[in-house]
Structure formats: C-alpha cells, structure tokens
Amino acid sequence: MVDLKKKDGILTYAYLLLYIALSSGQIFFNKWVLSSKEINFPYPLGLTLLHMIFSSVVCFVLTKILKVMKVEEGMTPEIYATSVVPIGAMFAMTLWLGNTAYLYISVAFAQMLKAIMPVAVFVLGVAAGLEVMSCRMLLIMSVISFGVLVASYGEININWVGVVYQMGGVVGEALRLIFMEIFVKRKGLKLNPISVMYYVSPFSALCLFLPWIFLEKSKMDDHGPWNFPPVLLILNCLCTFALNLSVFLVITHTSALTIRVAGVVKDWVVVLLSAILFADTKLTIINLCGYGIAIAGVAAYNNFKLKKEASRDPSDASELDESSQRQQSQLLPSR
C-alpha cells in the first residue's frame, strides 16, 4: 500500500515536471521559430494556423480513426454556435496576438505582462455577472496591477507595439475563460481537454485562416518559394499537441491547486531561463521585484478562489473544480 502511494506520488511529480518542461519549452520554441534568422519564419499567424490545423487533424485521427480517445457526446448545433464559436474565436485571437508579441518584446517581459491575466478575468467576470466585487478582491487586483506596473517600469528595452499585442492576447484569453465558464456552468456540457480541442481547433483554424490570407500570405509569397524547414515546423506543432496531452495527464492525476502552483513555477522558469537563452532579455532588479509582487497577488487570487469553491455545496464545488481544471488545461499551450 505504501509502495503504491509512493509510486503514485512519483508518477504525479513526473507528470508535473513534464508539463513544466513542455510548457516552458514550447514558449522558447515559438520564440526561436519566429525570431531566428536561420529559420526565417516571422509569421505568427502562419505558425498559429499550423498549430490549429495540426491539432484538428491529430484529434480527428485519435478519436475517429484510431479511436484511442473518446469525444464526449452532447454537442448540438445550438451549443456549438453559442459556445464553441466564441471560445474558438477568442482562442485564435489569444494565440495570434500572443505569438506576435514575441516579435517585439522578450519572452520574460511577455510573461510578466501575462501576470495581469487574473485582473482581466475578474473585471470581465464582474461585467458578465460571474464574479462579485469585494474589498478583498479589489485589494488583490490592485497588488497584481501594481506588480505588473513595477515590472514594466523596470523593463530596459520596452516596445509598446509588443505590449499592445501582448495585452490584446491577455484580453482574448480572459474572454475565452469567461466563455469557457459560461459554457460549463450554463450549458451543462462537460468536456475533457481532447474533446475541447476536437471542437475548438477547427473553428480557431478558420478564424486564423481569414486574416492570414490578407495579412501574411502575400509576405510569404514575396519571400519566394515556401522552403521553410518542414521538419522543424512539424516538430513545433507536435510539441504543442504534446503539451496539451501533458496537461490532460496533470489534471487527471492532480487538483486545480496543484496545476495552478505548477503554472506559477513554470512562469518563473520561463522568466529566468529566457535571460540565459535570449540576447534580447535583460532582467533588472525592478523587473524581478515587480514580477514577484504580481505573482504574490496571483497566488492570493488562486487561494481565494479555491477557498471560495471549497466553501460551496460539495456538488457545486466539484463542478467548479472541474471547470477550473478545464480552464487551466486550455491556458495558451502554443505561446
């Protein structure tokens, strides 16, 4: 019995390390693909479109051809139109703008700006009637905002175009999480991450294809024959899908609190490693202090939300915990 528990504990830590490694690695991989002169592929729309097409194809193969994974039943045209469509559109917007930001700002600074996410989710949640304003939440949101402001003040080479793109991605992700919560709470349809990707990826690909035609296709045509390294691009797409699978493993074997803590650890890993891996990253003491304040606020936010969920009726708490895990499982896998 003890050996079994020990084995399960080791397996859980292995899944968490895999998630942190893949999530951090994917961010660095995307940055390298988009900014590397050797690859010469500065097309964030095109890269994100490839991710969504690859994800759509692989999900279809796994669920409909090989049948090694199951797509949850219950999807109707009405649910697809009112839930999947807005989620897919916001997912496309998030990945497009977030990846574009890497062309202008460092990975570390982009990660620091992303710490403002709980503020955007909370404000939009209040507007949608999903959250209630309170003095405690206002204080937490103020701490996060102050931390991000301090981190931005400490940025040496700030590029406001990149900041706008990154903040646009944050707003898109916040809207996507709001739609996800409405999707789960009000529509009553519970989907595993593979099912979500199965339904969402094709529409996200469509949303990305249209702007790609007008904004990037002509640039890629002007580049000459499309002789971009296919092996690297396919590997990049494969890493994105592997990240989704690792998240599926983590949420299956852990709790919402665990994956949130793992996400905070991953953020710090990304910030610190980016200073070593990329020449455009120069961290200052002000940067790190501001980001530390923001992360403390994020930790307080997560703790408050989890305590609030735990204090509810057990059946409601279970549903909310599943909703929280699903939101985490879809959190910017390809950025």
Side-chain angles (χ1 to χ4, degrees), residues 124-143:
L124 292 172
V126 171
L130 300 174
E131 298 281 0
V132 178
M133 183 66 74
S134 66
C135 293
R136 185 172 181 179
M137 286 302 291
L138 189 62
L139 176 61
I140 292 173
M141 296 302 109
S142 299
V143 169

Side-chain angles (χ1 to χ4, degrees), residues 26-45:
Q26 186 61 34
I27 291 173
F28 296 139
F29 200 172
N30 285 348
K31 171 71 174 179
W32 180 62
V33 168
L34 292 169
S35 61
S36 172
K37 293 182 180 179
E38 291 80 11
I39 297 178
N40 195 20
F41 194 84
Y43 307 110
L45 254 176

Side-chain angles (χ1 to χ4, degrees), residues 1 4-6 16-17 34 54 64 89 132 152 162 165 171 199 212 226 246 249-250 255 267 300 310 321 325:
M1 186 69 177
L4 185 60
K5 287 184 177 180
K6 184 177 180 181
L16 287 171
L17 289 175
L34 292 169
F54 186 88
K64 298 302 182 181
V132 178
S152 301
Y165 274 119
V171 172
Y199 289 117
W212 174 77
W226 290 12
S246 74
L249 289 173
V250 169
S255 64
D267 291 342
D321 188 62
Q325 289 179 341

